[in-house]
Amino acid sequence: MAIDEASYDERRLAQWLSRRGFLHLGAGLGAAAAFSGLGGPSASAQAGSIVKPLPPGLFIDHGTNAEMRWEAMRGMGFTVPNDRFFVRNHTKTPTIDVRTWRLRLFGSGLHGGPVSFSYEDLLGMPAETVTEFVECAGNGRSLYTTQQGTPVPGTPWLLGGIGVARWRGVRLSTVLERAGMTSAAVDVMASGLDPDFLEGQVNHGRVRRPLPVDKALCDTLLAYEMNGETLPPDHGFPVRLIVPSWTGISNIKWVGSIEVSATPLFSPWNTRFYRLFGPTHPPGGSAPLTTQVSKCAFELPWNAQLTAGHRHVLTGRAWSGKGSVRSVRVSTDGGSTWRQARPLGRDRAWLQWTYTWCPERPGLHTLMAAATDNTGVTQPLQVPFNEFGYLFGAVARHPVAVT
Ligand SMILES: Nc1nc2c(c(=O)[nH]1)N[C@H]1C(S)=C(S)[C@@H](COP(=O)(O)O)O[C@H]1N2
Ligand SMILES: [Mo]
């Protein structure tokens, strides 16, 4: 990737540390405690957050969020169809009239004043298609609790807070150029048109998160199509950002405005949330999250039932925000022995693989699959705790019952 993430992280961390003194954002344990209401029982009271049907065979319902069931991807193609792609909403999917909708760009990083584009304006610009994953930073969060014994608040995702789609749209760099971005711009911040996000009594405003200009110009897309269809309401209609490899929150949906700034921008989504807090992280929290970690999932339900004495072709997918996945190893005995899985193809967004298993003994078994990324790094068996339960990158222990 062209952008130097390490130096971005350092710069951001320094900026954050110098500001937080007067922002009184109460980061750390208090923040996690205040956040704990989200995704709990109260969240399911917010029915109607998601527009599309959520059949229980395809989704695990988490209130305002819906997780893809991995078993529903078995036998499917490379991309996740729109009707089974996970949804992560801070509040609810808005209804947007595209005839009156405008994308407004403004800020100190533009030559002139604010600039607006209509939907037709965007459709008329050079289009590009990319195949990329969108993955929630909290994907796998429940495993901090069940596998590592360290409970964390927030939506208890298993591994289905991810999807890969073919996104078509206009490069953000094209839009920024046409809006008159200057070389002094350092950050751009897209803002969603969904309702303000409330955390208890605190109104955090529109969902928005700064993106450094380097990443915005490198490979970020303003997408208006998903898998060949008009972007569905739940996934950001009329336009959303696709920020390849970066954490889910970067991919702002229902974009209404983009601030282009010659000075660094801040929002709760790069100061309070989406950073790592905890004993093994810097005292004020880590730099804002950027790339996702590597993960691997079986296309099987949790506690799947398999018959003893039969050959089972296990299937799964592996992905990494650090690049592509080079190989996958599988253990069917809880991690004592490992063998290579068979890769299918060499696609980048994720790697599909198969592994043939003939369980002999009935009983409870633990399946494990570990991804090795293209830099040669393999998923660890355990990852350090963080208070919001982000970036669970350890090998998942998948329980199955052999009967
Ligand atoms: N405007 C807006 N954009 C948003 C969100 C949101 O709640 N509002 N959720 C973010 C998060 S946390 C994730 S993981 C992804 C989820 O995208 P999806 O719902 O299309 O799967 O959207 C991101 N973009
Ligand atoms: Mo997310």
Side-chain angles (χ1 to χ4, degrees):
M1 198 177 308
I3 173 169
D4 179 350
E5 277 160 23
S7 72
Y8 168 64
D9 285 357
E10 270 170 34
R11 201 174 79 215
R12 264 284 169 275
L13 182 58
Q15 286 163 347
W16 160 244
L17 288 175
S18 67
R19 272 184 59 113
R20 66 186 290 269
F22 63 85
L23 282 180
H24 303 300
L25 280 175
L29 268 171
F35 196 46
S36 62
L38 302 172
S42 61
S44 29
Q46 300 197 27
S49 162
I50 299 172
V51 170
K52 71 182 177 185
L54 302 171
L58 299 184
F59 291 99
I60 302 168
D61 188 344
H62 293 297
T64 66
N65 308 320
E67 165 161 12
M68 176 187 78
R69 285 195 190 272
W70 265 105
E71 60 270 35
M73 281 307 289
R74 186 173 165 98
M76 303 293 292
F78 189 73
T79 53
V80 177
N82 295 356
D83 65 356
R84 56 186 75 189
F85 204 96
F86 87 101
V87 181
R88 187 331 190 196
N89 281 354
H90 279 72
T91 58
K92 75 191 294 264
T93 296
T95 306
I96 292 170
D97 182 349
V98 79
R99 290 166 303 180
T100 52
W101 174 87
R102 294 288 179 279
L103 175 65
R104 201 168 60 87
L105 290 98
F106 66 97
S108 57
L110 297 183
H111 279 297
V115 180
S116 286
F117 297 107
S118 69
Y119 189 57
E120 275 67 39
D121 289 338
L122 297 179
L123 298 186
M125 293 181 194
E128 189 159 305
T129 304
V130 299
T131 301
E132 296 289 350
F133 68 70
V134 170
E135 182 183 26
C136 190
N139 194 24
R141 173 180 289 135
S142 68
L143 303 177
Y144 277 108
T145 305
T146 59
Q147 195 166 305
Q148 300 197 164
T150 50
V152 284
T155 301
W157 303 99
L158 282 167
L159 291 172
I162 176 147
V164 167
R166 222 166 56 250
W167 309 96
R168 184 164 189 267
V170 49
R171 276 180 164 276
L172 185 55
S173 63
T174 305
V175 176
L176 292 172
E177 195 183 302
R178 295 193 185 195
M181 189 173 83
T182 71
S183 57
V186 294
D187 273 343
V188 303
M189 179 154 69
S191 187
L193 291 169
D194 39 339
D196 288 0
F197 176 63
L198 307 178
E199 185 194 19
Q201 304 286 66
V202 183
N203 184 342
H204 288 301
R206 302 273 199 202
V207 176
R208 63 201 188 282
R209 191 176 198 246
L211 187 65
V213 150
D214 293 353
K215 182 66 175 172
L217 295 179
C218 169
D219 57 359
T220 299
L221 196 71
L222 202 50
Y224 47 71
E225 268 182 31
M226 179 178 183
N227 291 322
E229 292 168 22
T230 300
L231 197 60
D234 294 314
H235 298 290
F237 178 82
V239 297
R240 79 174 303 167
L241 290 188
I242 291 297
V243 183
S245 304
W246 281 33
T247 199
I249 185 64
S250 317
N251 305 272
I252 297 293
K253 304 193 276 190
W254 314 296
V255 178
S257 68
I258 301 179
E259 178 172 2
V260 184
S261 177
T263 56
L265 295 173
F266 297 89
S267 92
W269 288 269
N270 76 336
T271 57
R272 177 166 179 66
F273 308 124
Y274 300 103
R275 302 188 309 118
L276 306 179
F277 299 98
T280 60
H281 302 293
S286 73
L289 300 183
T290 56
T291 49
Q292 287 290 99
V293 295
S294 304
K295 288 195 192 68
C296 205
F298 288 91
E299 292 169 343
L300 280 177
W302 224 246
N303 302 310
Q305 298 223 351
L306 301 169
T307 42
H310 283 80
R311 269 178 88 246
H312 296 276
V313 179
L314 307 177
T315 61
R317 304 182 193 225
W319 61 96
S320 173
K322 306 283 183 257
S324 55
V325 168
R326 180 190 287 175
S327 61
V328 171
R329 285 184 312 146
V330 171
S331 172
T332 56
D333 56 11
S336 303
T337 58
W338 295 83
R339 272 180 34 217
Q340 292 286 335
R342 192 162 70 84
L344 302 176
R346 276 276 154 234
D347 286 284
R348 202 189 62 83
W350 57 17
L351 178 73
Q352 292 181 264
W353 50 268
T354 69
Y355 185 92
T356 304
W357 183 38
C358 186
E360 276 149 32
R361 296 172 294 109
L364 298 177
H365 290 64
T366 300
L367 301 181
M368 298 163 82
T372 300
D373 71 20
N374 60 349
T375 69
V377 175
T378 301
Q379 287 180 260
L381 293 177
Q382 195 155 5
V383 282
F385 165 82
N386 69 87
E387 287 162 16
F388 285 126
Y390 296 134
L391 303 186
F392 186 87
V395 178
R397 301 176 66 87
H398 192 127
V400 297
V402 175
T403 54

